[in-house]
Amino acid sequence: EGDRPAGVFVHHQPTPVGAAWIDKVGMRAAERLWARIGKLPSVRFIAFGHVHQRFRQQVEGVECLACPSTAANSLPATARFTAGETTPMARWFELNETGFRSGYLAA
């Protein structure tokens, strides 16, 4: 609604996360999502799962936030899945009138 902050939740990552094993299965046609997001200045973040690791990066002024797996997580920037993160893990979100906060919950 108007200028109220908004977030977008998707399954596959709309941007590379720097881990070869999972970057090859990112969102198909991510450029279509980014074109739409570019027309919605209220979007503050895009949250996604599927990468089995912590990830946060700003792309085109939008925070890209991976939601780690509640089953098994990998170390970041690896060529193949490499267990090492505390598991299970999840990301939480708190949305309000001025924006959002986000963090992790670990077992």
Side-chain angles (χ1 to χ4, degrees), residues 21 52-53 72-85:
W21 68 275
H52 296 265
Q53 66 185 40
N73 289 295
S74 177
L75 293 172
T78 56
R80 60 185 190 188
F81 185 94
T82 306
E85 288 270 29

Side-chain angles (χ1 to χ4, degrees), residues 31-52:
E31 67 280 357
R32 291 175 49 205
L33 174 68
W34 287 109
R36 181 71 173 134
I37 297 294
K39 297 175 183 176
L40 301 169
S42 62
V43 173
R44 304 289 195 273
F45 70 88
I46 298 174
F48 48 92
H50 195 35
V51 300
H52 296 265

